[in-house]
Amino acid sequence: MIEILSKKLEWLDVQYWFYVLNDLSLIYIIVPFFVLELIRYAFKKRLTKDLVFDSIANIITFGAFFVIEIILGLLAITKVYFWIYNNFSLPHLELNWVTIISCIFLADFAYYWEHRMMHRIGIGWATHTVHHSSEHFNMSVAYRFGPLDAIMPIIFSLPIVMLGFDPILVLLAEVFVQVFQTLLHTEIIGKLIKPLEFIFNTPSHHRVHHGSNKQYWDKNYAGIFIIWDRMLGTFEPEVETVRYGISEPLNSNNPLKVFFHGINRLIKKINSVDGFKNKLLVFVKPPNWMPTTSKK
Amino acid sequence: MKNSTLLFRSLAIIIFLAGSAHLIRLGRNYTTDQSNYDGVNNYNKTTNSTIDKGVNEGFTENNSNTKKKNDYNENSDYIIGKWIVNYKSDEFNGSLVYRVKKEGEIFNAYTLEYRDKNGNSQKAEGNKVLTIKNFDGYKGVGIYRIEYEGQEYNVDCAIDMVDKNTFKLSYEYYGYRDIETWKRQ
């Protein structure tokens, strides 16, 4: 077994399998599933104008995010990641199954912390609130991104590169986590069997994460494995029917408003607090933090 | 949950995951070293005369000082010397002469001379292009520095002796593979 897991793999083969799992998943699972969701909405008489415009806004925000991601991603991978990898990393790990599996687990764990930070610090929530602002829950919501959503993953995956994992493998593992996450954005699938619900993040767990019900706030940050939430005290099962959205609803499907509303709200909050120190603290304190003295 | 608990649990998870991958790496290195060691013994038995000849020829070039040293390894140090590699690409069509030196326990190769296809030669900058970290006399592994579009990359490489005067240097970089033939000068 160890012999198989530690057998050296060819980059071409690994890239091919990630290509099938990451890139092609859009064609063979995500789009067909979204079509199925639309049919279900129509059947249940929930295919409203609001839902259609919401879905269009989601795809447009993804386009804007993708441009930023590509620029940042290329810079990070070709420059920072390789510089760190060549100068400040543990001995480089050979490409084998153990390395790939460990890398996916680590990328998923990094995703957990990165996601938690997106919820728990002001600047993180300013961008990530875009993703949560939809009052619907379907595959298109998975593509609803904020303008700075690409930054946190880069910061949180650098330690993985420092641990000796190849930067390209880290990137592929991160995309794999994102693709898995995408598949969780659905109301079609109910609860799965208990062992799966215990180990993996499932649509049920992720519905909770998108809930605006008070008990569901800041819960279930996981990407692939829900065990991180269970181990780090942020797990919440789906009990009460989930109400999607954020505590201060956006009430707009204008893609520009959707994309920038978090940043706008952050700027307004910065302007509303007194003192330079407090203005800086708005960036790093939790989103609901307010200093004891403020203008409003 | 307390911050300290979060920290310790997170560190434990990271150490466990990254540690597993590194343990496997160390285990594999150990196994490879063992099999190389066995291989060297077998190889020495069967090709003793070839290696001896190689040692003598390669060694003669760097001879007088090193010969006296006690740390000379008969099995592997015959790689020391000048080697030539032919290249044919859009960027460079000709050959490059390298000098392999032993520095401590490892071997390093430095650029020595460029030669174009017409036989014109030019002294090279003496850059270190290859580090052979592990060489048992017939197989080795190391780091090869390649340049692509102005960017320098350190790539894992393998060395296979074909005979006393030729070895193959192979590497793979994200799907791009190449094998260079190094001939003794």
Side-chain angles (χ1 to χ4, degrees), chain A residues 43-75:
Chain A
F43 188 73
K44 291 199 155 199
K45 296 190 171 41
R46 283 172 58 194
L47 189 59
T48 58
K49 215 162 70 174
D50 181 66
L51 187 135
V52 173
F53 285 127
D54 183 86
S55 302
I56 293 168
N58 295 342
I59 306 305
I60 292 173
T61 62
F62 177 72
F65 160 82
F66 191 69
V67 173
I68 300 168
E69 172 84 41
I70 288 290
I71 296 166
L72 278 176
L74 281 179
L75 272 177

PDB file of all heavy atoms in Angstrom, chain A residues 43-75:
ATOM      1  N   PHE A  43     -40.942  24.053 -11.830  1.00  0.00           N
ATOM      2  CA  PHE A  43     -41.930  23.082 -11.384  1.00  0.00           C
ATOM      3  C   PHE A  43     -42.596  23.526 -10.076  1.00  0.00           C
ATOM      4  O   PHE A  43     -43.791  23.347  -9.875  1.00  0.00           O
ATOM      5  CB  PHE A  43     -41.242  21.720 -11.214  1.00  0.00           C
ATOM      6  CG  PHE A  43     -42.184  20.600 -10.943  1.00  0.00           C
ATOM      7  CD1 PHE A  43     -43.007  20.102 -11.954  1.00  0.00           C
ATOM      8  CD2 PHE A  43     -42.270  20.017  -9.677  1.00  0.00           C
ATOM      9  CE1 PHE A  43     -43.880  19.058 -11.710  1.00  0.00           C
ATOM     10  CE2 PHE A  43     -43.146  18.979  -9.422  1.00  0.00           C
ATOM     11  CZ  PHE A  43     -43.953  18.493 -10.443  1.00  0.00           C
ATOM     12  N   LYS A  44     -41.799  24.133  -9.201  1.00  0.00           N
ATOM     13  CA  LYS A  44     -42.327  24.576  -7.907  1.00  0.00           C
ATOM     14  C   LYS A  44     -42.869  26.002  -7.960  1.00  0.00           C
ATOM     15  O   LYS A  44     -43.154  26.596  -6.911  1.00  0.00           O
ATOM     16  CB  LYS A  44     -41.227  24.498  -6.840  1.00  0.00           C
ATOM     17  CG  LYS A  44     -40.811  23.081  -6.487  1.00  0.00           C
ATOM     18  CD  LYS A  44     -40.109  23.050  -5.153  1.00  0.00           C
ATOM     19  CE  LYS A  44     -40.238  21.681  -4.527  1.00  0.00           C
ATOM     20  NZ  LYS A  44     -39.990  21.671  -3.106  1.00  0.00           N
ATOM     21  N   LYS A  45     -42.920  26.558  -9.179  1.00  0.00           N
ATOM     22  CA  LYS A  45     -43.390  27.933  -9.402  1.00  0.00           C
ATOM     23  C   LYS A  45     -42.571  28.959  -8.614  1.00  0.00           C
ATOM     24  O   LYS A  45     -43.108  29.932  -8.064  1.00  0.00           O
ATOM     25  CB  LYS A  45     -44.895  28.049  -9.075  1.00  0.00           C
ATOM     26  CG  LYS A  45     -45.762  27.191  -9.998  1.00  0.00           C
ATOM     27  CD  LYS A  45     -47.215  27.519  -9.815  1.00  0.00           C
ATOM     28  CE  LYS A  45     -48.117  26.881 -10.836  1.00  0.00           C
ATOM     29  NZ  LYS A  45     -47.861  25.502 -11.228  1.00  0.00           N
ATOM     30  N   ARG A  46     -41.280  28.699  -8.557  1.00  0.00           N
ATOM     31  CA  ARG A  46     -40.387  29.642  -7.867  1.00  0.00           C
ATOM     32  C   ARG A  46     -39.409  30.307  -8.847  1.00  0.00           C
ATOM     33  O   ARG A  46     -38.487  31.002  -8.423  1.00  0.00           O
ATOM     34  CB  ARG A  46     -39.595  28.910  -6.778  1.00  0.00           C
ATOM     35  CG  ARG A  46     -40.413  28.626  -5.525  1.00  0.00           C
ATOM     36  CD  ARG A  46     -39.652  27.723  -4.566  1.00  0.00           C
ATOM     37  NE  ARG A  46     -38.362  28.273  -4.154  1.00  0.00           N
ATOM     38  CZ  ARG A  46     -37.419  27.558  -3.555  1.00  0.00           C
ATOM     39  NH1 ARG A  46     -37.605  26.286  -3.314  1.00  0.00           N
ATOM     40  NH2 ARG A  46     -36.274  28.118  -3.206  1.00  0.00           N
ATOM     41  N   LEU A  47     -39.609  30.046 -10.132  1.00  0.00           N
ATOM     42  CA  LEU A  47     -38.701  30.630 -11.133  1.00  0.00           C
ATOM     43  C   LEU A  47     -39.118  32.079 -11.402  1.00  0.00           C
ATOM     44  O   LEU A  47     -39.738  32.407 -12.414  1.00  0.00           O
ATOM     45  CB  LEU A  47     -38.720  29.798 -12.428  1.00  0.00           C
ATOM     46  CG  LEU A  47     -37.672  30.156 -13.486  1.00  0.00           C
ATOM     47  CD1 LEU A  47     -36.254  30.013 -12.946  1.00  0.00           C
ATOM     48  CD2 LEU A  47     -37.833  29.280 -14.715  1.00  0.00           C
ATOM     49  N   THR A  48     -38.766  32.944 -10.482  1.00  0.00           N
ATOM     50  CA  THR A  48     -39.197  34.346 -10.563  1.00  0.00           C
ATOM     51  C   THR A  48     -38.171  35.189 -11.318  1.00  0.00           C
ATOM     52  O   THR A  48     -37.040  34.745 -11.548  1.00  0.00           O
ATOM     53  CB  THR A  48     -39.349  34.930  -9.150  1.00  0.00           C
ATOM     54  OG1 THR A  48     -38.069  34.781  -8.513  1.00  0.00           O
ATOM     55  CG2 THR A  48     -40.422  34.213  -8.359  1.00  0.00           C
ATOM     56  N   LYS A  49     -38.600  36.412 -11.659  1.00  0.00           N
ATOM     57  CA  LYS A  49     -37.706  37.358 -12.311  1.00  0.00           C
ATOM     58  C   LYS A  49     -36.506  37.652 -11.392  1.00  0.00           C
ATOM     59  O   LYS A  49     -35.369  37.759 -11.832  1.00  0.00           O
ATOM     60  CB  LYS A  49     -38.470  38.659 -12.614  1.00  0.00           C
ATOM     61  CG  LYS A  49     -38.028  39.313 -13.905  1.00  0.00           C
ATOM     62  CD  LYS A  49     -39.035  40.306 -14.428  1.00  0.00           C
ATOM     63  CE  LYS A  49     -39.123  41.559 -13.591  1.00  0.00           C
ATOM     64  NZ  LYS A  49     -39.987  42.593 -14.150  1.00  0.00           N
ATOM     65  N   ASP A  50     -36.789  37.769 -10.100  1.00  0.00           N
ATOM     66  CA  ASP A  50     -35.725  38.058  -9.127  1.00  0.00           C
ATOM     67  C   ASP A  50     -34.651  36.973  -9.148  1.00  0.00           C
ATOM     68  O   ASP A  50     -33.455  37.256  -9.130  1.00  0.00           O
ATOM     69  CB  ASP A  50     -36.332  38.171  -7.718  1.00  0.00           C
ATOM     70  CG  ASP A  50     -35.273  38.488  -6.680  1.00  0.00           C
ATOM     71  OD1 ASP A  50     -34.702  39.590  -6.755  1.00  0.00           O
ATOM     72  OD2 ASP A  50     -34.974  37.625  -5.828  1.00  0.00           O
ATOM     73  N   LEU A  51     -35.095  35.713  -9.212  1.00  0.00           N
ATOM     74  CA  LEU A  51     -34.134  34.606  -9.227  1.00  0.00           C
ATOM     75  C   LEU A  51     -33.279  34.634 -10.492  1.00  0.00           C
ATOM     76  O   LEU A  51     -32.055  34.414 -10.427  1.00  0.00           O
ATOM     77  CB  LEU A  51     -34.887  33.269  -9.130  1.00  0.00           C
ATOM     78  CG  LEU A  51     -33.968  32.055  -8.955  1.00  0.00           C
ATOM     79  CD1 LEU A  51     -34.501  31.138  -7.872  1.00  0.00           C
ATOM     80  CD2 LEU A  51     -33.786  31.284 -10.238  1.00  0.00           C
ATOM     81  N   VAL A  52     -33.915  34.920 -11.624  1.00  0.00           N
ATOM     82  CA  VAL A  52     -33.176  34.961 -12.895  1.00  0.00           C
ATOM     83  C   VAL A  52     -32.140  36.089 -12.867  1.00  0.00           C
ATOM     84  O   VAL A  52     -30.963  35.881 -13.177  1.00  0.00           O
ATOM     85  CB  VAL A  52     -34.142  35.132 -14.092  1.00  0.00           C
ATOM     86  CG1 VAL A  52     -33.365  35.350 -15.388  1.00  0.00           C
ATOM     87  CG2 VAL A  52     -35.044  33.912 -14.208  1.00  0.00           C
ATOM     88  N   PHE A  53     -32.551  37.293 -12.425  1.00  0.00           N
ATOM     89  CA  PHE A  53     -31.609  38.419 -12.377  1.00  0.00           C
ATOM     90  C   PHE A  53     -30.512  38.182 -11.337  1.00  0.00           C
ATOM     91  O   PHE A  53     -29.377  38.591 -11.523  1.00  0.00           O
ATOM     92  CB  PHE A  53     -32.354  39.738 -12.110  1.00  0.00           C
ATOM     93  CG  PHE A  53     -33.091  40.245 -13.317  1.00  0.00           C
ATOM     94  CD1 PHE A  53     -34.438  40.563 -13.274  1.00  0.00           C
ATOM     95  CD2 PHE A  53     -32.415  40.399 -14.540  1.00  0.00           C
ATOM     96  CE1 PHE A  53     -35.107  41.020 -14.395  1.00  0.00           C
ATOM     97  CE2 PHE A  53     -33.087  40.860 -15.665  1.00  0.00           C
ATOM     98  CZ  PHE A  53     -34.441  41.163 -15.605  1.00  0.00           C
ATOM     99  N   ASP A  54     -30.897  37.551 -10.251  1.00  0.00           N
ATOM    100  CA  ASP A  54     -29.915  37.212  -9.216  1.00  0.00           C
ATOM    101  C   ASP A  54     -28.839  36.292  -9.812  1.00  0.00           C
ATOM    102  O   ASP A  54     -27.638  36.500  -9.609  1.00  0.00           O
ATOM    103  CB  ASP A  54     -30.622  36.504  -8.050  1.00  0.00           C
ATOM    104  CG  ASP A  54     -29.683  36.183  -6.897  1.00  0.00           C
ATOM    105  OD1 ASP A  54     -29.490  37.063  -6.036  1.00  0.00           O
ATOM    106  OD2 ASP A  54     -29.125  35.067  -6.876  1.00  0.00           O
ATOM    107  N   SER A  55     -29.284  35.288 -10.576  1.00  0.00           N
ATOM    108  CA  SER A  55     -28.342  34.334 -11.177  1.00  0.00           C
ATOM    109  C   SER A  55     -27.435  35.039 -12.183  1.00  0.00           C
ATOM    110  O   SER A  55     -26.227  34.760 -12.244  1.00  0.00           O
ATOM    111  CB  SER A  55     -29.088  33.198 -11.877  1.00  0.00           C
ATOM    112  OG  SER A  55     -29.922  32.551 -10.951  1.00  0.00           O
ATOM    113  N   ILE A  56     -28.012  35.953 -12.960  1.00  0.00           N
ATOM    114  CA  ILE A  56     -27.201  36.698 -13.945  1.00  0.00           C
ATOM    115  C   ILE A  56     -26.154  37.550 -13.210  1.00  0.00           C
ATOM    116  O   ILE A  56     -24.978  37.570 -13.589  1.00  0.00           O
ATOM    117  CB  ILE A  56     -28.103  37.571 -14.854  1.00  0.00           C
ATOM    118  CG1 ILE A  56     -28.970  36.655 -15.733  1.00  0.00           C
ATOM    119  CG2 ILE A  56     -27.266  38.518 -15.722  1.00  0.00           C
ATOM    120  CD1 ILE A  56     -30.099  37.376 -16.469  1.00  0.00           C
ATOM    121  N   ALA A  57     -26.593  38.216 -12.139  1.00  0.00           N
ATOM    122  CA  ALA A  57     -25.654  39.038 -11.352  1.00  0.00           C
ATOM    123  C   ALA A  57     -24.523  38.157 -10.801  1.00  0.00           C
ATOM    124  O   ALA A  57     -23.348  38.554 -10.796  1.00  0.00           O
ATOM    125  CB  ALA A  57     -26.385  39.727 -10.205  1.00  0.00           C
ATOM    126  N   ASN A  58     -24.864  36.953 -10.374  1.00  0.00           N
ATOM    127  CA  ASN A  58     -23.847  36.029  -9.848  1.00  0.00           C
ATOM    128  C   ASN A  58     -22.764  35.756 -10.891  1.00  0.00           C
ATOM    129  O   ASN A  58     -21.567  35.798 -10.590  1.00  0.00           O
ATOM    130  CB  ASN A  58     -24.485  34.689  -9.456  1.00  0.00           C
ATOM    131  CG  ASN A  58     -25.457  34.837  -8.310  1.00  0.00           C
ATOM    132  OD1 ASN A  58     -25.426  35.836  -7.599  1.00  0.00           O
ATOM    133  ND2 ASN A  58     -26.330  33.850  -8.144  1.00  0.00           N
ATOM    134  N   ILE A  59     -23.196  35.474 -12.103  1.00  0.00           N
ATOM    135  CA  ILE A  59     -22.236  35.134 -13.158  1.00  0.00           C
ATOM    136  C   ILE A  59     -21.386  36.359 -13.517  1.00  0.00           C
ATOM    137  O   ILE A  59     -20.177  36.232 -13.744  1.00  0.00           O
ATOM    138  CB  ILE A  59     -22.967  34.599 -14.425  1.00  0.00           C
ATOM    139  CG1 ILE A  59     -23.887  33.420 -14.059  1.00  0.00           C
ATOM    140  CG2 ILE A  59     -21.980  34.201 -15.514  1.00  0.00           C
ATOM    141  CD1 ILE A  59     -23.230  32.263 -13.339  1.00  0.00           C
ATOM    142  N   ILE A  60     -22.007  37.543 -13.505  1.00  0.00           N
ATOM    143  CA  ILE A  60     -21.234  38.755 -13.832  1.00  0.00           C
ATOM    144  C   ILE A  60     -20.179  39.035 -12.746  1.00  0.00           C
ATOM    145  O   ILE A  60     -19.032  39.366 -13.057  1.00  0.00           O
ATOM    146  CB  ILE A  60     -22.172  39.969 -14.032  1.00  0.00           C
ATOM    147  CG1 ILE A  60     -23.005  39.740 -15.312  1.00  0.00           C
ATOM    148  CG2 ILE A  60     -21.375  41.271 -14.153  1.00  0.00           C
ATOM    149  CD1 ILE A  60     -24.101  40.765 -15.552  1.00  0.00           C
ATOM    150  N   THR A  61     -20.563  38.862 -11.489  1.00  0.00           N
ATOM    151  CA  THR A  61     -19.565  39.077 -10.419  1.00  0.00           C
ATOM    152  C   THR A  61     -18.413  38.085 -10.573  1.00  0.00           C
ATOM    153  O   THR A  61     -17.266  38.417 -10.310  1.00  0.00           O
ATOM    154  CB  THR A  61     -20.155  38.909  -8.997  1.00  0.00           C
ATOM    155  OG1 THR A  61     -20.636  37.570  -8.852  1.00  0.00           O
ATOM    156  CG2 THR A  61     -21.239  39.911  -8.702  1.00  0.00           C
ATOM    157  N   PHE A  62     -18.739  36.886 -11.039  1.00  0.00           N
ATOM    158  CA  PHE A  62     -17.679  35.894 -11.233  1.00  0.00           C
ATOM    159  C   PHE A  62     -16.700  36.369 -12.317  1.00  0.00           C
ATOM    160  O   PHE A  62     -15.488  36.211 -12.174  1.00  0.00           O
ATOM    161  CB  PHE A  62     -18.258  34.525 -11.617  1.00  0.00           C
ATOM    162  CG  PHE A  62     -17.184  33.511 -11.898  1.00  0.00           C
ATOM    163  CD1 PHE A  62     -16.422  32.984 -10.859  1.00  0.00           C
ATOM    164  CD2 PHE A  62     -16.902  33.106 -13.191  1.00  0.00           C
ATOM    165  CE1 PHE A  62     -15.414  32.076 -11.112  1.00  0.00           C
ATOM    166  CE2 PHE A  62     -15.902  32.185 -13.451  1.00  0.00           C
ATOM    167  CZ  PHE A  62     -15.153  31.662 -12.406  1.00  0.00           C
ATOM    168  N   GLY A  63     -17.240  36.957 -13.365  1.00  0.00           N
ATOM    169  CA  GLY A  63     -16.385  37.474 -14.441  1.00  0.00           C
ATOM    170  C   GLY A  63     -15.406  38.506 -13.904  1.00  0.00           C
ATOM    171  O   GLY A  63     -14.207  38.443 -14.177  1.00  0.00           O
ATOM    172  N   ALA A  64     -15.916  39.443 -13.090  1.00  0.00           N
ATOM    173  CA  ALA A  64     -15.061  40.496 -12.524  1.00  0.00           C
ATOM    174  C   ALA A  64     -14.028  39.882 -11.583  1.00  0.00           C
ATOM    175  O   ALA A  64     -12.835  40.220 -11.621  1.00  0.00           O
ATOM    176  CB  ALA A  64     -15.920  41.509 -11.780  1.00  0.00           C
ATOM    177  N   PHE A  65     -14.499  38.964 -10.760  1.00  0.00           N
ATOM    178  CA  PHE A  65     -13.595  38.288  -9.819  1.00  0.00           C
ATOM    179  C   PHE A  65     -12.501  37.529 -10.563  1.00  0.00           C
ATOM    180  O   PHE A  65     -11.330  37.541 -10.188  1.00  0.00           O
ATOM    181  CB  PHE A  65     -14.409  37.310  -8.949  1.00  0.00           C
ATOM    182  CG  PHE A  65     -13.594  36.241  -8.286  1.00  0.00           C
ATOM    183  CD1 PHE A  65     -12.914  36.501  -7.107  1.00  0.00           C
ATOM    184  CD2 PHE A  65     -13.512  34.966  -8.827  1.00  0.00           C
ATOM    185  CE1 PHE A  65     -12.161  35.512  -6.494  1.00  0.00           C
ATOM    186  CE2 PHE A  65     -12.765  33.976  -8.231  1.00  0.00           C
ATOM    187  CZ  PHE A  65     -12.086  34.252  -7.057  1.00  0.00           C
ATOM    188  N   PHE A  66     -12.892  36.886 -11.660  1.00  0.00           N
ATOM    189  CA  PHE A  66     -11.967  36.040 -12.418  1.00  0.00           C
ATOM    190  C   PHE A  66     -10.800  36.862 -12.979  1.00  0.00           C
ATOM    191  O   PHE A  66      -9.653  36.424 -12.931  1.00  0.00           O
ATOM    192  CB  PHE A  66     -12.726  35.340 -13.557  1.00  0.00           C
ATOM    193  CG  PHE A  66     -11.933  34.260 -14.232  1.00  0.00           C
ATOM    194  CD1 PHE A  66     -11.631  33.089 -13.559  1.00  0.00           C
ATOM    195  CD2 PHE A  66     -11.477  34.422 -15.526  1.00  0.00           C
ATOM    196  CE1 PHE A  66     -10.892  32.088 -14.178  1.00  0.00           C
ATOM    197  CE2 PHE A  66     -10.740  33.436 -16.152  1.00  0.00           C
ATOM    198  CZ  PHE A  66     -10.448  32.265 -15.481  1.00  0.00           C
ATOM    199  N   VAL A  67     -11.111  38.057 -13.452  1.00  0.00           N
ATOM    200  CA  VAL A  67     -10.051  38.926 -13.992  1.00  0.00           C
ATOM    201  C   VAL A  67      -9.049  39.261 -12.881  1.00  0.00           C
ATOM    202  O   VAL A  67      -7.824  39.144 -13.067  1.00  0.00           O
ATOM    203  CB  VAL A  67     -10.666  40.225 -14.583  1.00  0.00           C
ATOM    204  CG1 VAL A  67      -9.577  41.211 -14.978  1.00  0.00           C
ATOM    205  CG2 VAL A  67     -11.546  39.893 -15.781  1.00  0.00           C
ATOM    206  N   ILE A  68      -9.585  39.653 -11.709  1.00  0.00           N
ATOM    207  CA  ILE A  68      -8.703  39.984 -10.574  1.00  0.00           C
ATOM    208  C   ILE A  68      -7.907  38.751 -10.152  1.00  0.00           C
ATOM    209  O   ILE A  68      -6.705  38.807  -9.915  1.00  0.00           O
ATOM    210  CB  ILE A  68      -9.528  40.521  -9.369  1.00  0.00           C
ATOM    211  CG1 ILE A  68     -10.277  41.784  -9.800  1.00  0.00           C
ATOM    212  CG2 ILE A  68      -8.645  40.795  -8.172  1.00  0.00           C
ATOM    213  CD1 ILE A  68     -11.338  42.251  -8.819  1.00  0.00           C
ATOM    214  N   GLU A  69      -8.575  37.623 -10.092  1.00  0.00           N
ATOM    215  CA  GLU A  69      -7.952  36.356  -9.681  1.00  0.00           C
ATOM    216  C   GLU A  69      -6.803  35.982 -10.622  1.00  0.00           C
ATOM    217  O   GLU A  69      -5.734  35.562 -10.183  1.00  0.00           O
ATOM    218  CB  GLU A  69      -9.010  35.251  -9.682  1.00  0.00           C
ATOM    219  CG  GLU A  69      -8.489  33.847  -9.468  1.00  0.00           C
ATOM    220  CD  GLU A  69      -8.305  33.507  -7.999  1.00  0.00           C
ATOM    221  OE1 GLU A  69      -9.174  33.879  -7.209  1.00  0.00           O
ATOM    222  OE2 GLU A  69      -7.287  32.878  -7.664  1.00  0.00           O
ATOM    223  N   ILE A  70      -7.030  36.151 -11.917  1.00  0.00           N
ATOM    224  CA  ILE A  70      -6.014  35.779 -12.894  1.00  0.00           C
ATOM    225  C   ILE A  70      -4.768  36.645 -12.708  1.00  0.00           C
ATOM    226  O   ILE A  70      -3.646  36.127 -12.642  1.00  0.00           O
ATOM    227  CB  ILE A  70      -6.553  35.936 -14.348  1.00  0.00           C
ATOM    228  CG1 ILE A  70      -7.569  34.841 -14.658  1.00  0.00           C
ATOM    229  CG2 ILE A  70      -5.442  35.946 -15.385  1.00  0.00           C
ATOM    230  CD1 ILE A  70      -6.988  33.443 -14.788  1.00  0.00           C
ATOM    231  N   ILE A  71      -4.981  37.958 -12.562  1.00  0.00           N
ATOM    232  CA  ILE A  71      -3.829  38.862 -12.394  1.00  0.00           C
ATOM    233  C   ILE A  71      -3.079  38.523 -11.098  1.00  0.00           C
ATOM    234  O   ILE A  71      -1.869  38.305 -11.108  1.00  0.00           O
ATOM    235  CB  ILE A  71      -4.295  40.343 -12.374  1.00  0.00           C
ATOM    236  CG1 ILE A  71      -4.909  40.700 -13.734  1.00  0.00           C
ATOM    237  CG2 ILE A  71      -3.129  41.265 -12.052  1.00  0.00           C
ATOM    238  CD1 ILE A  71      -5.697  41.994 -13.738  1.00  0.00           C
ATOM    239  N   LEU A  72      -3.827  38.451  -9.991  1.00  0.00           N
ATOM    240  CA  LEU A  72      -3.201  38.142  -8.703  1.00  0.00           C
ATOM    241  C   LEU A  72      -2.599  36.741  -8.699  1.00  0.00           C
ATOM    242  O   LEU A  72      -1.494  36.537  -8.216  1.00  0.00           O
ATOM    243  CB  LEU A  72      -4.239  38.229  -7.584  1.00  0.00           C
ATOM    244  CG  LEU A  72      -4.548  39.614  -7.046  1.00  0.00           C
ATOM    245  CD1 LEU A  72      -5.665  39.520  -6.030  1.00  0.00           C
ATOM    246  CD2 LEU A  72      -3.319  40.213  -6.395  1.00  0.00           C
ATOM    247  N   GLY A  73      -3.348  35.811  -9.244  1.00  0.00           N
ATOM    248  CA  GLY A  73      -2.913  34.414  -9.257  1.00  0.00           C
ATOM    249  C   GLY A  73      -1.618  34.253 -10.026  1.00  0.00           C
ATOM    250  O   GLY A  73      -0.675  33.619  -9.550  1.00  0.00           O
ATOM    251  N   LEU A  74      -1.548  34.859 -11.192  1.00  0.00           N
ATOM    252  CA  LEU A  74      -0.336  34.732 -12.006  1.00  0.00           C
ATOM    253  C   LEU A  74       0.857  35.345 -11.289  1.00  0.00           C
ATOM    254  O   LEU A  74       1.933  34.760 -11.241  1.00  0.00           O
ATOM    255  CB  LEU A  74      -0.530  35.423 -13.363  1.00  0.00           C
ATOM    256  CG  LEU A  74      -1.337  34.631 -14.399  1.00  0.00           C
ATOM    257  CD1 LEU A  74      -1.475  35.433 -15.677  1.00  0.00           C
ATOM    258  CD2 LEU A  74      -0.676  33.289 -14.699  1.00  0.00           C
ATOM    259  N   LEU A  75       0.628  36.539 -10.702  1.00  0.00           N
ATOM    260  CA  LEU A  75       1.713  37.192  -9.969  1.00  0.00           C
ATOM    261  C   LEU A  75       2.161  36.330  -8.794  1.00  0.00           C
ATOM    262  O   LEU A  75       3.351  36.114  -8.578  1.00  0.00           O
ATOM    263  CB  LEU A  75       1.242  38.550  -9.441  1.00  0.00           C
ATOM    264  CG  LEU A  75       1.404  39.740 -10.380  1.00  0.00           C
ATOM    265  CD1 LEU A  75       0.819  40.981  -9.734  1.00  0.00           C
ATOM    266  CD2 LEU A  75       2.881  39.969 -10.675  1.00  0.00           C
TER     267      LEU A  75
END
